[in-house]
Amino acid sequence: MHEEPIIFSDAAAFKVGSLLKDEDNPDMHLRVYVTGGGCSGFQYGFSFDKDRDEADTQVIKHGVKLIVDPMSIQYLTGAEIDFQEDLQGARFVIKNPNANTTCSCGSSFS
């Protein structure tokens, strides 16, 4: 078995699957991307996307597809996409070993 470039946790896959079931659109994928900006230089983004480009990296877990564009994968290789519910609320989080610094909101890094 080959190692995936991104770790897609069970919790995140189940949450995405649940959201897609609610939307009644099984053709959608969770797209994770990196953009410039945020308090630390780069920030993470999540969206649901029907389109998948040939160059996108795809990870499938429990039948749910996570896709990342070629520019973003260079910042996300080895990262874990997870879903957490705690006192701060329910949210997708990225645990990224490539980030030198992370801001307190957890959605931007450098």
Side-chain angles (χ1 to χ4, degrees), residues 42-56:
F42 292 101
Q43 61 187 0
Y44 302 115
F46 298 93
S47 66
F48 287 107
D49 196 344
K50 239 190 332 196
D51 300 320
R52 180 178 172 266
D53 191 58
E54 187 88 9
D56 286 341

Side-chain angles (χ1 to χ4, degrees), residues 38-39 42-45 102-109:
C39 33
F42 292 101
Q43 61 187 0
Y44 302 115
T102 311
C103 70
S104 61
C105 67
S107 63
S108 73
F109 69 100

Side-chain angles (χ1 to χ4, degrees), residues 8 12 14 25 28 30 32 37 41-42 48 54 56-57 59 68 71 74 76-77 90-91 93 101-102 105 108-110:
F8 191 21
F14 288 135
N25 194 341
M28 298 289 263
L30 177 66
V32 179
F42 292 101
F48 287 107
E54 187 88 9
D56 286 341
T57 297
V59 177
V68 183
M71 192 282 294
Q74 62 186 326
L76 293 170
T77 297
R91 66 204 178 283
V93 294
T101 58
T102 311
C105 67
S108 73
F109 69 100
S110 67

